[in-house]
Amino acid sequence: DAPVGVELPVGVVADPDEVARRAAAELRGIWADLGLSAESQEARMRGISEAVVGACLGELRAHEGMRAQLQREHDSIAAMLEGRGCSAPFEAPSRVASPTFGVRPLHWRTAELRSAAKRQLDDKLEQLRVDLKDLFGLPQRLDDPEAFSSHLRVLTTSALGVLPGHPPDAAVPTALDFELLGIDRGGADGGS
């Protein structure tokens, strides 16, 4: 047992109740040695208790708000995934257990949901790339800048009148189309 004034080694967590009990006992002994009256000791202990309660309430207020914000993010991502027919990457929180922590904490579950949403976005983006390349008649992989230039010329010249009721340039691929396709305008394929 380390004395109250001694710092604990890194990674060692002290039980706050034990620390408070031991500190109060030591303080009472010191105060008695100094000749403080019982009333004065109680007044000082009450002041310390009020300060501790105030510090704890401040921590609670700050962290409850942060937890509420994280819970809203968690719920929003979970609803989005559910609305798209994706299953959550884990069971209901009451059944999400870890041998070390018991129920997995909210930050862990939210990180898992973020990862699942990112994977879904990446999958949808890849499918969009495939569909756009098919729509524009491009091969799925453009390794040759010359082939890219050739396809681009064909797309821009044949786009006229392709979509009835739309302006002639409506079917011409835009910079966003190329970005989604994973193609930079210089002709290099972004790996799709």
Side-chain angles (χ1 to χ4, degrees), residues 85-109:
C86 296
S87 61
F90 48 79
E91 298 290 324
S94 62
R95 289 183 262 143
V96 181
S98 154
T100 306
F101 302 111
V103 173
R104 297 252 188 213
L106 180 60
H107 74 90
W108 183 90
R109 297 190 318 264

Side-chain angles (χ1 to χ4, degrees), residues 8-19:
L8 294 169
V10 175
V12 175
V13 179
D15 175 30
D17 294 332
E18 178 62 18
V19 170

Side-chain angles (χ1 to χ4, degrees), residues 2 7 20 28 52 54-55 66 68 83 85 87 96 98 108 124 134 139 142-143 148 154 159 164 168 175 179:
E7 288 189 29
R28 288 188 194 282
V52 168
M66 291 166 53
S87 61
V96 181
S98 154
W108 183 90
K124 296 293 183 188
D134 286 346
L142 288 175
D143 295 325
F148 171 80
V154 169
E179 184 179 332

Side-chain angles (χ1 to χ4, degrees), residues 111-123:
E112 285 294 305
L113 285 174
R114 286 180 193 135
S115 293
K118 170 109 174 58
R119 284 189 303 273
Q120 183 192 37
L121 175 64
D122 290 345
D123 291 348

Side-chain angles (χ1 to χ4, degrees), residues 126-160:
E126 184 56 35
Q127 185 57 52
L128 180 60
R129 284 183 176 136
V130 168
D131 292 346
L132 282 172
K133 286 178 180 177
D134 286 346
L135 176 69
F136 292 133
L138 296 170
Q140 289 303 316
R141 182 132 182 104
L142 288 175
D143 295 325
D144 179 15
E146 282 301 315
F148 171 80
S149 297
S150 171
H151 283 289
L152 182 59
R153 278 192 300 277
V154 169
L155 281 173
T156 52
T157 57
S158 67
L160 303 173

